[in-house]
Amino acid sequence: MHTLFDNDCRYMSDSELIYEISNNRQIVSDIERSDEGIDLDRLFASLTPGRKKVAVAAVEMYKRIQSQQVERKQIRMSQDIYGVMRPVIGNLKNEEFWVIAINQAGRIIKKVRISVGGIDQTSADIRLIMRVLIDSGATQFAAVHNHPSGNSRPSNEDKRLTEQLKKAAALFNIRMMDHVIITNEGYYSFCDEGMI
């Protein structure tokens, strides 16, 4: 009996998988001739609306499952935060700001998306973040946002926000563990750089 992760698709070539998704030999041929390899955006754009909806939903579910598997571990360092959040925001085309509420044992209580922004910025309301942390009973937290540009270096606004968050959280005896800026290729940690 086949299971979800042990099925006939597991033994197919990339071309066979592309055909299975698209049911279109021309798409397979176009991708095989491309020097860039498999471009999921291009593949999904070529699908019928019904197939695209199912494929996108399956990818999103897989990303969430991957993220949840990492969440069971303790959050001790920036790499743990990156492991949890990269599947969620690492390859987005717009910025999002999230907060991870963490308990005394270093376990995630919950992850909350605070804001969705544009291509190169998003805003974060400090009062909303404090409410999330207090309501969840967090004793520590991590701020996380992505840079779609691929440049993980913090902006002056990122630095200012980090300082404000650290001060606001201290008033409630909540420790700011880190602020991590995520790209699809890597990350920047304020804690690792000695800025927290």
Side-chain angles (χ1 to χ4, degrees), residues 76-106:
R76 294 180 299 246
M77 62 183 84
S78 60
Q79 191 172 2
D80 299 330
I81 297 165
Y82 178 68
V84 168
M85 294 304 296
R86 183 186 177 273
V88 179
I89 63 173
N91 58 0
L92 294 180
K93 304 277 193 241
N94 60 287
E95 281 198 19
E96 290 189 358
F97 192 96
W98 288 66
V99 65
I100 305 174
I102 303 168
N103 69 16
Q104 189 66 36

Side-chain angles (χ1 to χ4, degrees), residues 29 33 49 51 55 74 130 138 140 145 150 157 168-169 196:
S29 178
R33 284 187 307 225
R51 281 184 180 263
Q74 282 184 308
M130 290 305 110
Q140 49 191 339
H145 78 279
E157 178 61 23
I196 291 184

Side-chain angles (χ1 to χ4, degrees), residues 109-127:
I109 300 169
K110 67 180 179 178
K111 303 180 315 235
V112 178
R113 183 173 59 188
I114 300 298
S115 65
V116 176
I119 293 171
D120 63 355
Q121 67 178 2
T122 188
S123 61
D125 187 324
I126 292 173
R127 293 169 298 181

Side-chain angles (χ1 to χ4, degrees), residues 9-101:
C9 289
R10 184 174 175 85
Y11 307 103
M12 292 179 177
S13 68
D14 289 351
S15 297
E16 290 170 323
L17 281 172
I18 292 167
Y19 181 74
E20 191 72 20
I21 292 168
S22 67
N23 196 30
N24 185 321
R25 296 227 181 267
Q26 184 61 48
I27 294 169
V28 174
S29 178
D30 290 348
I31 290 176
E32 284 178 338
R33 284 187 307 225
S34 171
D35 293 334
E36 300 170 10
I38 299 170
D39 180 349
L40 285 181
D41 288 333
R42 187 171 158 214
L43 172 61
F44 283 13
S46 68
L47 301 177
T48 63
R51 281 184 180 263
K52 181 177 181 178
K53 190 173 185 179
V54 171
V56 169
V59 169
E60 181 62 28
M61 182 57 67
Y62 180 76
K63 285 166 46 177
R64 290 180 187 189
I65 289 168
Q66 291 296 103
S67 178
Q68 288 167 358
Q69 287 174 349
V70 177
E71 284 179 30
R72 294 187 187 117
K73 300 176 185 174
Q74 282 184 308
I75 301 295
R76 294 180 299 246
M77 62 183 84
S78 60
Q79 191 172 2
D80 299 330
I81 297 165
Y82 178 68
V84 168
M85 294 304 296
R86 183 186 177 273
V88 179
I89 63 173
N91 58 0
L92 294 180
K93 304 277 193 241
N94 60 287
E95 281 198 19
E96 290 189 358
F97 192 96
W98 288 66
V99 65
I100 305 174

Side-chain angles (χ1 to χ4, degrees), residues 150-185:
N151 179 2
S152 61
R153 301 300 296 178
S155 66
N156 288 333
E157 178 61 23
D158 294 337
K159 294 173 185 175
R160 186 187 63 76
L161 177 62
T162 302
E163 191 58 35
Q164 289 178 338
L165 277 172
K166 182 180 173 186
K167 287 178 181 175
L171 293 172
F172 297 97
N173 201 25
I174 300 172
R175 180 176 152 262
M176 184 174 195
M177 181 182 279
D178 207 340
H179 181 176
V180 176
I181 300 171
I182 292 179
T183 73
N184 206 22
E185 304 300 323

